[in-house]
Amino acid sequence: MSLKDILSPFTAWKHVVKDPVTIKDPFTREAAERYRGFHKNDIETCIGCGTCEDICQNAAIDMVPVDGIETRDGDSGLRPMVDYGRCCWCALCVDVCTTNSLSLSNHYNWIDEDPDQFRYIPGVDKKEWDTNEKGWKKPEGNYELYDINRVKMEEQAPESRDDSFIEIVKGYSKEQALLEADRCVACGICTATCPAHMGIPEYIKAIRNDDLEEGLRILYDTNPLPEICGRICTHKCETVCSIGHKGDPISIRWLKRYIADQHPSDQYKEILGTRDIELNGKTVAIVGSGPSGLSAAYYLALLGYKCTIYEKLPEAGGMMRYGIPEYRLPYDQIDKDVNYILSLGVEIKTNTNIGTDITLEELQEQYDAVFAGTGLHMGRSTRVPGTDHQEVYQAVDLLRDVVLGKEIPVKENIVVIGGGNVAMDITRTLARLQKVKFGKVSIIATSLESEDIMPADREEVVEAREENATIIPGWGPTKIETEGEHLKGLHVVKCTSVFDEEGRFNPKFDEEQIDYFKGEMVVESIGQGMDISYFKGDIKENLKLDNRGRIIVNENFQSSIDWLFVGGDIIQGPDVIHGIANGHKAAIGIDKFLGEG
Amino acid sequence: MKSLLNNIKSRFSIKDVTEQRSNLVFIDVARESAVPLITYLRDYEGMTHLVLLTAADWIEENEFQLTYLLNNPEQKFDIGVRVRISREKATMETAHHLWEQVATYQRELKEMFGIDFPGSPGVDKPFILEGWDDLPPYRRDFDTKKYSEDTYFPRPGRESNDPAEYMKKKMYPNEK
Ligand code: SF4
């Protein structure tokens, strides 16, 4: 042992008289401005997506229900609870938070003898640091853990599409789809809002893994029309996407299309395992080959039922073929989805009208059950003076005639009444026909609704304008001006509000403000009604309707007549994905009813 | 700095030079040039202080990157010498003979990344992890979350809900 070793302990004595370098009372000392202390959460902004839980590498976060926070579209009703026995204050949860609701205060000292106190729900369990403005927030600027901008979809430019019906949207390439799929945080908030409750995060994950066969299987679990829905679905899912809170929602619809586009239809049976389906000996008749009928037929066929679809028009698809223009949904894509369903042994009898060619009673005798999904094909009229003029048309009739190849009476100046997707479809269709016939577009679409509440998809309005159609929202029709066999134009009055306080349709007008749109042709597109005149005799008598004349069905879409199931637009209003969803439910219901399920 | 760069370019095989700031330059070198270059910088260019030695895992390229950050205390600028080594055969020549504390950094890198520095004093002694028997935790293929879940039991009473499942239960419990 050296002398130094012996003496050095004594040198420590000199510290006795020095000021300590440690802090006497650390508990009143404030941490640095951006110190990462205990969590805060803006509970109203948080949507319970659980992305914070997912990213936490210490498994310190649980998603828990909170009294008073309701589960609804776009909000799981759960909120993050932090376990400070595990939190390492890395703040990844703050940086990834999809709504920016989560942050850290700079409060770091907290003493309690009960360890369970150190698990709490920030923002719900009140803490003294809830109002502490300092601490860690996600840095401003473009610091994001995922891309908030969607991968741009390539489209035909307006000038290269406005005189033809070629498909506008080009679809994602593999590179684009991978990048877009990478933006998804897989929270699954969207699934509840999708009427068919599709496995959205799951199929997006399949894209990330480049396992597109798995992707196709996931699509077909809940939706047998993916090429169609991948193009024209109303994509309600995207309206609740958590990524949409800070940026563009994920392009869920285009990603679905990407999966379907990658497989030629002759591989479907192999991929989906539907080569050998054993028949169970029972038969179902399906009236109408729209989304609900096709969906019911598909899921019934998988269960072994022999299905026969009866279709009034020459080809399958219903409104998808005869209502949606080709530039949005090319016919070969409809055929791809439909033909695969038919390839499973589903039979279709086209040009067959129920009620005249064969009656519902006859179907009841020949089949074990019947599903009716005949849709809404009768255009409603505004019934303003002049609507009985020969130059006043219904949008759905014209759209159907275009597909049937009939001559369309295109005029040089046209006025369309309506602000929904069908109104945009007919406006854009007629604009194309005007461009071909007259070399220019002169069409006005006017709706009661003001621009911000127009029911049409935003992109429809934007694209219609790109194609030189004029959209003038916020006016109500009062009279169609006619002169003998000529139509002159439409008189309108300013609409100040469409719905009353209770949210009922009850438009108010400012009679002082009037306008006049010139045109030789008026097209009405304010909604469609159903034609159920094929329900006759006993069936009509026994079929229960509610006080607004709608057919009553149970959760399996079974009507008051036990062998008759009804679905699609006549039950849930015009929407493809709703039709698909309730066709699926009806198939399960029929299976139960026939004692197989 | 200019003449320094010219000096070393003529003597060592330099892959790339990144002038980050006026007082910070990164130099990428081949593995065999790294220690000789650092020695030269220390002995002839006044980079007498080692600020740190650290690593990054470029798993996609199957490489580790070592960064030796050197400082010239007189002229007040830094040079980061960066070198890529194979991830599979993760070994590097030791530099502890240049600065004693390098041994400590190398011991840490051995433990956290599994990069070996044969001949470095105490390189195999545990650094901060005691009884570690898993992948070195700073490797990017180490699944931190899984490790925490497997190793540390959750506090009794902890329970979580998957948002999508929970929404199904609340909003459409009877549907498939
Ligand atoms: S990531 Fe943000 S929005 Fe999502 S649950 Fe966590 S705190 Fe709420």
Side-chain angles (χ1 to χ4, degrees):
Chain A
M1 200 179 273
S2 71
L3 188 62
K4 193 178 162 216
D5 288 340
I6 295 168
L7 291 178
S8 63
F10 296 103
T11 63
W13 284 103
K14 71 171 186 264
H15 296 300
V16 170
V17 292
K18 268 191 169 177
D19 275 344
V21 289
T22 49
I23 291 164
K24 216 181 254 163
D25 175 13
F27 297 107
T28 52
R29 179 176 183 260
E30 209 203 0
E33 172 103 18
R34 297 203 304 156
Y35 191 82
R36 300 188 299 235
F38 292 106
H39 290 73
K40 299 185 296 178
N41 196 6
D42 175 355
I43 274 319
E44 301 302 321
T45 306
C46 172
I47 54 166
C49 69
T51 310
C52 48
E53 176 190 21
D54 248 23
I55 202 168
C56 178
Q57 297 298 300
N58 298 316
I61 297 181
D62 293 325
M63 297 304 296
V64 298
V66 170
D67 277 348
I69 296 180
E70 220 190 301
T71 302
R72 54 183 169 80
D73 282 317
D75 184 348
S76 73
L78 301 165
R79 293 296 180 262
M81 181 183 212
V82 186
D83 178 352
Y84 289 96
R86 299 179 79 119
C87 176
C88 74
W89 283 273
C90 68
L92 272 177
C93 52
V94 172
D95 291 1
V96 83
C97 173
T98 57
T99 63
N100 274 352
S101 68
L102 201 62
S103 60
L104 299 179
S105 68
N106 74 341
H107 197 104
Y108 65 99
N109 48 32
W110 177 16
I111 295 174
D112 202 296
E113 289 187 357
D114 174 7
D116 282 324
Q117 290 302 310
F118 295 94
R119 278 179 65 218
Y120 76 95
I121 309 172
V124 173
D125 301 328
K126 296 291 165 231
K127 298 290 169 198
E128 58 177 286
W129 49 85
D130 285 348
T131 51
N132 179 342
E133 282 307 315
K134 293 178 185 166
W136 179 260
K137 290 178 198 63
K138 193 172 74 63
E140 304 266 321
N142 33 13
Y143 168 67
E144 295 289 350
L145 295 182
Y146 50 81
D147 197 338
I148 60 166
N149 301 311
R150 66 166 53 172
V151 175
K152 208 175 156 345
M153 174 57 75
E154 282 167 44
E155 293 184 356
Q156 299 285 352
E159 52 287 359
S160 70
R161 69 177 197 235
D162 63 2
D163 59 353
S164 82
F165 284 79
I166 50 165
E167 185 170 23
I168 295 175
V169 172
K170 293 186 176 168
Y172 279 146
S173 67
K174 178 171 172 177
E175 288 67 33
Q176 291 172 319
L178 282 173
L179 279 176
E180 184 62 17
D182 217 31
R183 301 173 57 228
C184 172
V185 292
C187 65
I189 292 271
C190 47
T191 298
T193 300
C194 169
H197 308 309
M198 295 192 72
I200 298 163
E202 291 80 18
Y203 70 70
I204 293 181
K205 182 176 174 196
I207 295 176
R208 279 199 300 272
N209 295 343
D210 201 22
D211 185 354
L212 299 180
E213 297 196 353
E214 175 65 7
L216 195 73
R217 283 189 285 272
I218 296 167
L219 297 186
Y220 269 87
D221 273 347
T222 46
N223 184 343
L225 301 172
E227 288 284 19
I228 295 171
C229 285
R231 288 173 165 77
I232 53 84
C233 186
T234 40
H235 54 92
K236 306 255 186 302
C237 50
E238 293 179 21
T239 63
V240 296
C241 174
S242 59
I243 301 304
H245 285 263
K246 285 192 300 200
D248 302 330
I250 309 294
S251 289
I252 300 173
R253 174 173 55 168
W254 301 147
L255 289 176
K256 173 165 45 237
R257 168 177 167 171
Y258 168 74
I259 296 176
D261 275 354
Q262 307 315 308
H263 303 283
S265 49
D266 57 9
Q267 292 175 1
Y268 274 31
K269 281 195 179 175
E270 213 53 67
I271 297 169
L272 300 172
T274 51
R275 238 181 228 307
D276 310 293
I277 301 174
E278 223 170 279
L279 290 177
N280 64 11
K282 300 211 166 132
T283 59
V284 180
I286 288 164
V287 187
S289 64
S292 67
L294 287 168
S295 168
Y298 175 76
Y299 291 108
L300 285 166
L302 290 189
L303 293 166
Y305 292 88
K306 178 88 189 87
C307 299
T308 308
I309 304 178
Y310 292 85
E311 170 56 52
K312 182 161 87 178
L313 289 163
E315 284 185 86
M319 271 298 185
M320 301 182 296
R321 187 185 300 271
Y322 294 99
I324 297 174
E326 203 185 350
Y327 57 80
R328 284 215 280 147
L329 178 57
Y331 305 137
D332 55 346
Q333 300 302 333
I334 304 177
D335 293 340
K336 187 179 173 193
D337 282 349
V338 170
N339 289 341
Y340 169 61
I341 296 174
L342 298 182
S343 78
L344 303 177
V346 173
E347 203 185 322
I348 182 160
K349 293 186 196 295
T350 51
N351 293 313
T352 309
N353 198 6
I354 303 300
T356 53
D357 296 320
I358 183 168
T359 65
L360 214 47
E361 284 84 353
E362 286 171 305
L363 292 183
Q364 185 212 346
E365 282 157 23
Q366 293 171 24
Y367 297 88
D368 297 309
V370 176
F371 174 81
T374 47
L376 306 172
H377 294 274
M378 295 207 316
R380 289 215 182 93
S381 173
T382 57
R383 301 229 179 89
V384 297
T387 41
D388 48 4
H389 192 271
Q390 63 192 33
E391 296 300 344
V392 178
Y393 298 86
Q394 281 297 331
V396 278
D397 295 343
L398 290 178
L399 288 167
R400 187 184 316 122
D401 286 350
V402 170
V403 185
L404 290 170
K406 291 191 186 165
E407 174 86 22
I408 307 298
V410 192
K411 295 282 166 20
E412 215 167 327
N413 306 290
I414 304 174
V415 182
V416 174
I417 306 172
N421 278 337
V422 177
M424 293 303 112
D425 285 343
I426 192 61
T427 301
R428 299 176 65 189
T429 295
L430 292 172
R432 282 165 169 73
L433 297 175
Q434 282 183 325
K435 184 85 194 261
V436 173
K437 189 163 169 186
F438 306 108
K440 65 178 178 57
V441 174
S442 170
I443 188 162
I444 294 172
T446 182
S447 64
L448 275 185
E449 296 89 355
S450 52
E451 180 109 21
D452 51 327
I453 55 163
M454 268 178 81
D457 290 343
R458 194 63 217 151
E459 68 239 36
E460 287 294 314
V461 180
V462 171
E463 288 172 9
R465 285 185 173 137
E466 285 173 1
E467 292 156 8
N468 295 317
T470 309
I471 316 288
I472 311 181
W475 295 88
T478 51
K479 185 181 173 221
I480 294 168
E481 190 71 43
T482 58
E483 205 180 277
E485 61 183 30
H486 297 293
L487 195 152
K488 293 286 174 192
L490 177 73
H491 292 280
V492 290
V493 57
K494 188 79 202 161
C495 177
T496 49
S497 74
V498 182
F499 302 100
D500 62 17
E501 264 100 72
E502 274 95 66
R504 278 186 306 240
F505 181 75
N506 186 10
K508 301 261 179 333
F509 300 97
D510 174 4
E511 307 292 340
E512 302 287 295
Q513 283 192 69
I514 52 170
D515 208 340
Y516 178 65
F517 304 135
K518 274 195 214 143
E520 301 87 55
M521 173 179 182
V522 165
V523 182
E524 293 183 293
S525 179
I526 59 155
Q528 294 88 247
M530 59 183 170
D531 174 7
I532 48 168
S533 54
Y534 61 95
F535 292 132
K536 294 183 184 138
D538 278 354
I539 298 175
K540 190 174 172 187
E541 218 112 281
N542 294 328
L543 192 66
K544 286 211 182 91
L545 307 179
D546 68 9
N547 51 11
R548 292 171 63 188
R550 292 174 304 196
I551 300 166
I552 299 176
V553 290
N554 66 16
E555 77 270 13
N556 293 323
F557 292 84
Q558 186 174 30
S559 72
S560 52
I561 299 167
D562 61 0
W563 54 267
L564 181 63
F565 290 71
V566 187
D569 291 0
I570 43 181
I571 301 295
Q572 290 205 311
D575 186 35
V576 171
I577 188 67
H578 270 103
I580 291 171
N582 59 51
H584 190 178
K585 283 179 209 158
I588 296 168
I590 290 171
D591 193 42
K592 268 193 207 140
F593 167 64
L594 295 178
E596 302 283 330
Chain B
M1 187 86 86
K2 267 254 141 33
S3 72
L4 182 152
L5 289 176
N6 288 336
N7 289 346
I8 59 170
K9 273 183 189 157
S10 62
R11 289 180 168 81
F12 301 92
S13 70
I14 306 294
K15 287 184 177 167
D16 203 9
V17 174
T18 315
E19 296 192 39
Q20 193 86 10
R21 299 194 294 264
S22 62
N23 59 355
L24 175 64
V25 172
F26 286 103
I27 301 171
D28 295 286
V29 284
R31 182 194 156 141
E32 56 284 0
S33 302
V35 176
L37 170 63
I38 293 162
T39 312
Y40 172 83
L41 288 171
R42 184 188 75 155
D43 295 346
Y44 295 96
E45 299 289 353
M47 315 297 298
T48 53
H49 172 59
L50 174 84
V51 183
L52 55 84
L53 163 58
T54 188
D57 184 356
W58 292 96
I59 191 167
E60 293 84 357
E61 287 144 54
N62 206 17
E63 284 178 334
F64 287 121
Q65 174 183 281
L66 291 167
T67 302
Y68 301 80
L69 193 62
L70 314 183
N71 172 263
N72 183 327
E74 301 266 281
Q75 295 180 33
K76 307 218 181 309
F77 66 85
D78 288 345
I79 292 182
V81 175
R82 297 192 296 209
V83 55
R84 295 285 190 117
I85 61 171
S86 146
R87 216 172 163 275
E88 239 107 82
K89 258 188 79 247
T91 60
M92 179 65 193
E93 288 75 56
T94 177
H96 73 274
H97 55 283
L98 299 176
W99 293 275
E100 213 177 317
Q101 70 270 30
V102 168
T104 309
Y105 282 115
Q106 294 183 155
R107 200 171 132 204
E108 181 191 25
L109 292 174
K110 176 77 199 286
E111 180 163 276
M112 301 308 258
F113 286 91
I115 302 170
D116 199 7
F117 298 87
S120 183
V123 73
D124 290 321
K125 272 206 286 178
F127 183 63
I128 53 167
L129 307 173
E130 286 166 46
W132 188 260
D133 57 359
D134 210 312
L135 268 186
Y138 278 2
R139 289 197 175 210
R140 278 174 54 211
D141 45 357
F142 174 73
D143 189 338
T144 314
K145 187 167 188 178
K146 187 168 178 304
Y147 182 85
S148 4
E149 274 161 359
D150 293 349
T151 314
Y152 309 108
F153 61 87
R155 252 201 103 62
R158 273 192 61 172
E159 217 177 303
S160 192
N161 297 277
D162 174 70
E165 288 295 318
Y166 184 78
M167 290 175 90
K168 177 174 174 4
K169 206 163 75 194
K170 286 277 169 183
M171 294 167 76
Y172 53 104
N174 301 323
E175 291 177 31
K176 188 192 118 56

